[in-house]
Amino acid sequence: SYTTDTKSREENKKTIESLYSLSVDIKKIRRLKEWVLLQDAAYVKEIAGILQEMGADETAVANILERCPEAILRTPEEINSQRALWQLVCQNEKQLIKLIEQFPESFFTTKYHQNQKANIMFFQELGLKNNIITRFLTSAPNIFYNPLEKNKNVIETLQRSYLNLGGSEANMKIWILKLLSQNPFILLNTSTTIQENLEFLQKNDFTDHEVLQLLSKLKGFIFQLNSTTMQKSMLFSKNVFHCSDQELKELVLKCPALLYYSVPVLEERLEGLLKEGISVAQIRETPMVLELTTQIVQYRIKKLSAIGYDVKSGNLESLNGTKKDFEVTYGKIQSKKERPIFNPVAPIHIKD
């Protein structure tokens, strides 16, 4: 609701002076969000005062206002309400001010205050721990802007789907909480999308048990897709690997990325592997390698080549996994290569 017409307006001198007195870099604000400096009403000293009250030192206050200058356009009442709200899930004000320093935009978005409050209480009732809710507030703030009913509908659809697919009532709560913790953005989808995507998998002959397996493996990302893109990705994989419908299904269960990534992404990754001298047969054997970007694959192949390990002649398992997984595999291969062929502690027999 703030004007962005910078030509006809002048900077608010009082705002500039107040910011200067707090050692805020005005040039930075002019460069990024000059419109903030043109507003008639600003609460620089008041907002700085609240932040200091919470334990922020001078440097922290300046950093917060430089990164999120629109904070000074919020009223002290709005900020105090937001402070009380976030305290519902923060251990103490020390943790709260640390979060504000890291994610000022999330904290100073006060427009959806009522929705935020209702959703925080709903997540607590659902059984999500406060540290998970604070992670959501900072990394996925949009889900709190949804009306409570929208989030409730999505959760109820997921619960219903889980039970319909053969999941047990006893495990449902754990499943939902795990899914949300892994991917809170599920809540930005509609109940209809969730339903349509599950139906797509069932129409493609995935059993209920297999659909549940996919949901867990995909960490809920399947709900951010649509049947058209999934159909195209599956068709692409079928053509590349020359496999039957049953074999394709097995490949997808082994590597859900074949369902999740779009055709251009799969194409690019496949080409990257082929350029490295890896065969389609090898990729079919270990499709999980397509979960890695071309850059990561190239880096890992280069690293393994440097210690004399040729990926082209074996399977691709050594390339797979997270950065940590790869480092463990690399370490094992390296120690194998460096191991001496004689026993260094065995006695040496010398003829007289």
Side-chain angles (χ1 to χ4, degrees):
S1 64
Y2 303 106
T3 180
T4 52
D5 177 14
T6 56
K7 288 173 189 172
S8 58
R9 311 269 319 256
E10 281 185 11
E11 287 181 354
N12 185 326
K13 283 183 183 145
K14 194 182 169 193
T15 301
I16 301 288
E17 283 164 16
S18 302
L19 288 169
Y20 266 130
S21 69
L22 292 164
S23 307
V24 172
D25 186 345
I26 310 286
K27 284 179 187 170
K28 203 172 183 180
I29 297 177
R30 280 195 186 114
R31 196 169 66 248
L32 300 172
K33 293 180 180 176
E34 192 191 18
W35 59 272
V36 171
L37 305 174
L38 309 177
Q39 306 308 316
D40 295 330
Y43 304 90
V44 183
K45 286 178 181 171
E46 293 86 341
I47 303 307
I50 295 170
L51 292 171
Q52 284 160 347
E53 222 176 84
M54 283 192 265
D57 60 20
E58 193 183 324
T59 310
V61 171
N63 283 340
I64 291 167
L65 298 184
E66 280 166 15
R67 283 188 59 196
C68 184
E70 57 269 42
I72 64 171
L73 305 178
R74 309 287 178 251
T75 66
E77 292 73 30
E78 285 174 323
I79 299 310
N80 278 323
S81 295
Q82 199 74 337
R83 175 185 180 179
L85 182 62
W86 282 47
Q87 277 174 328
L88 294 174
V89 287
C90 284
Q91 294 165 353
N92 48 44
E93 291 214 313
K94 191 182 175 184
Q95 188 201 5
L96 174 54
I97 201 68
K98 201 175 172 188
L99 287 175
I100 298 171
E101 275 187 75
Q102 290 173 299
F103 308 94
E105 290 87 357
S106 300
F107 179 78
F108 290 107
T109 301
T110 58
K111 191 180 168 186
Y112 307 94
H113 183 81
Q114 289 311 315
N115 285 359
Q116 286 183 54
K117 188 174 185 177
N119 281 310
I120 284 175
M121 299 183 93
F122 168 61
F123 291 142
Q124 285 177 325
E125 283 163 25
L126 205 60
L128 275 173
K129 291 183 176 163
N130 283 343
N131 64 325
I132 302 286
I133 299 174
T134 52
R135 181 157 61 79
F136 288 179
L137 275 169
T138 53
S139 61
N142 294 18
I143 66 171
F144 293 88
Y145 308 158
N146 283 341
L148 174 61
E149 281 314 304
K150 157 100 172 57
N151 285 344
K152 263 189 173 172
N153 281 342
V154 172
I155 296 291
E156 282 162 12
T157 303
L158 289 169
Q159 288 170 328
R160 207 166 38 248
S161 303
Y162 180 77
L163 294 174
N164 291 344
L165 291 166
S168 71
E169 189 88 49
N171 291 333
M172 184 177 70
K173 186 180 174 182
I174 296 166
W175 182 78
I176 285 282
L177 294 180
K178 192 177 179 185
L179 202 62
L180 273 178
S181 302
Q182 290 172 329
N183 182 15
F185 297 104
I186 295 170
L187 294 168
L188 297 179
N189 298 300
T190 64
S191 305
T192 317
T193 307
I194 291 172
Q195 211 53 56
E196 282 171 0
N197 287 354
L198 293 176
E199 281 167 15
F200 167 80
L201 293 173
Q202 287 165 321
K203 279 176 193 165
N204 278 274
D205 296 327
F206 286 93
T207 64
D208 288 353
H209 176 70
E210 286 167 345
V211 174
L212 263 187
Q213 237 183 300
L214 277 173
L215 297 193
S216 301
K217 280 188 178 180
L218 278 166
K219 301 177 181 175
F221 288 118
I222 192 166
F223 300 131
Q224 286 162 246
L225 305 173
N226 63 62
S227 52
T228 312
T229 56
M230 286 194 279
Q231 187 73 62
K232 284 177 182 172
S233 296
M234 282 176 75
L235 191 62
F236 172 78
S237 299
K238 191 179 179 181
N239 292 335
V240 165
F241 299 119
H242 307 293
C243 54
S244 65
D245 288 343
Q246 181 56 34
E247 287 168 333
L248 175 65
K249 206 174 79 161
E250 284 163 18
L251 280 176
V252 169
L253 286 167
K254 211 172 174 183
C255 174
L258 296 176
L259 196 67
Y260 175 65
Y261 289 120
S262 65
V263 172
V265 171
L266 290 172
E267 242 170 353
E268 188 224 333
R269 292 185 179 188
L270 193 78
E271 277 170 28
L273 287 161
L274 297 177
K275 274 179 191 168
E276 294 293 333
I278 290 162
S279 68
V280 170
Q282 281 178 294
I283 300 166
R284 181 175 166 167
E285 195 60 41
T286 317
M288 292 79 75
V289 77
L290 291 166
E291 290 174 0
L292 305 168
T293 66
T294 305
Q295 289 78 6
I296 290 173
V297 167
Q298 286 169 341
Y299 166 78
R300 291 182 181 184
I301 289 174
K302 202 175 174 184
K303 202 166 177 187
L304 289 168
S305 297
I307 55 167
Y309 183 88
D310 185 13
V311 177
K312 294 191 283 289
S313 59
N315 71 31
L316 306 179
E317 289 291 342
S318 53
L319 293 176
N320 278 342
T322 60
K323 188 182 177 185
K324 196 177 176 184
D325 296 333
F326 173 72
E327 290 303 333
V328 170
T329 307
Y330 175 79
K332 283 178 184 171
I333 293 170
Q334 193 178 32
S335 60
K336 220 177 201 176
K337 294 275 180 190
E338 289 172 357
R339 197 175 293 147
I341 51 172
F342 64 90
N343 185 346
V345 293
I348 299 169
H349 300 285
I350 303 167
K351 286 182 182 178
D352 292 330

